[in-house]
Amino acid sequence: MNVSTASRTQGAYTYSSLMDKPKILVVEDEQDLIDLISYNLRSEGYEVFSCRDGGSVLEQVRKVKPDLILLDIMLPKIDGVEVCRQLRKITETRTTPIVFLTARSEEYSEIAAFDAGADDYITKPVKPRVLVSRIKAILRRGVIVDLNHKQADIRIGDLEILWDEFLVYRDGVPISFPKKEFELLYFLASKPGKVFTRDMLLTGVWGGDVLVVPRTIDVHIRKLREKLGEKYIQTVKGVGYKFSIDAE
Ligand code: CA
């Protein structure tokens, strides 16, 4: 699969990640687990910071400016899901990848995690190799696109998505879209495999316009599928949508 999204802003992001060690903030109340995670991530070249409760996360975030946040769900003071919601509301971490640490026995499901704006989750007990490979994959995805700024064209599978023209070529055949349908497609296709909740799509594509309801997204998705075919955009039951990583 060939995903090419090298815009100027994302170029800057890649540059800084290559030059500096990526910074990971671990929010976890068990010191043993902080130690295990820190040891494994540091040996892979990451800089690791930690805090032990939900109350001090915002302060740490502003100090550290992490590239990714590992967030335990069960935390003292404020739980992880609420911390995640708060992080999604502030500019510094609106698009920072957030990965939840969850234990199977905990009452929160992955749906609650995705609803709060998580990018992924890792189940406890944490297996170091799984942790490292997951973090690498998520950092490779880069930041969520900001549709208010010019973006690069995307080439993925048999699709070419041309930003300036609201135009998609499928196998060389042009298909044009109304602006919002195009933006929704672009948003999903910029992060193949990432699950987006309807709330995330509302915020990312409609800018949180209060007059737009989640149902609007379903209608737009249906129209996209009618024009493009079914294989590109997948429904994730009870959560939202993702662009298929097998769309080739
Ligand atoms: Ca905990």
Side-chain angles (χ1 to χ4, degrees), residues 158-160 167-177 227-228:
D158 53 9
L159 296 184
E160 249 186 294
L167 198 63
V168 176
Y169 282 88
R170 190 187 54 201
D171 272 334
V173 180
I175 310 168
S176 64
F177 292 91
K227 291 179 196 169
L228 278 177

Side-chain angles (χ1 to χ4, degrees), residues 153-202:
D153 299 339
I154 294 176
R155 285 174 189 81
I156 181 165
D158 53 9
L159 296 184
E160 249 186 294
I161 306 175
L162 305 183
W163 173 262
D164 280 326
E165 288 125 280
F166 303 142
L167 198 63
V168 176
Y169 282 88
R170 190 187 54 201
D171 272 334
V173 180
I175 310 168
S176 64
F177 292 91
K179 185 163 186 274
K180 281 299 165 205
E181 280 174 40
F182 177 88
E183 288 183 348
L184 179 60
L185 174 66
Y186 189 97
F187 198 77
L188 288 163
S190 69
K191 298 280 170 286
K194 176 173 167 54
V195 178
F196 290 98
T197 64
R198 287 176 181 77
D199 274 352
M200 290 160 82
L201 296 172
L202 276 181

Side-chain angles (χ1 to χ4, degrees), residues 69-139:
I69 299 167
L70 267 177
L71 184 58
D72 185 27
I73 284 200
M74 299 302 249
L75 288 167
K77 294 184 189 169
I78 312 171
D79 73 60
V81 170
E82 183 50 34
V83 170
C84 186
R85 274 197 203 102
Q86 292 181 7
L87 289 172
R88 285 303 181 227
K89 284 182 194 152
I90 63 169
T91 320
E92 292 94 327
T93 48
R94 186 158 296 143
T95 59
T96 309
I98 296 176
V99 179
F100 273 117
L101 296 168
T102 68
R104 256 176 224 288
S105 57
E106 286 166 3
E107 62 180 284
Y108 283 115
S109 62
E110 57 263 41
I111 293 175
F114 286 126
D115 261 343
D119 291 84
D120 209 341
Y121 65 94
I122 292 172
T123 45
K124 292 178 179 179
V126 173
K127 295 183 193 73
R129 250 186 292 168
V130 173
L131 174 80
V132 168
S133 70
R134 203 75 74 81
I135 285 180
K136 277 186 186 162
I138 291 166
L139 286 174

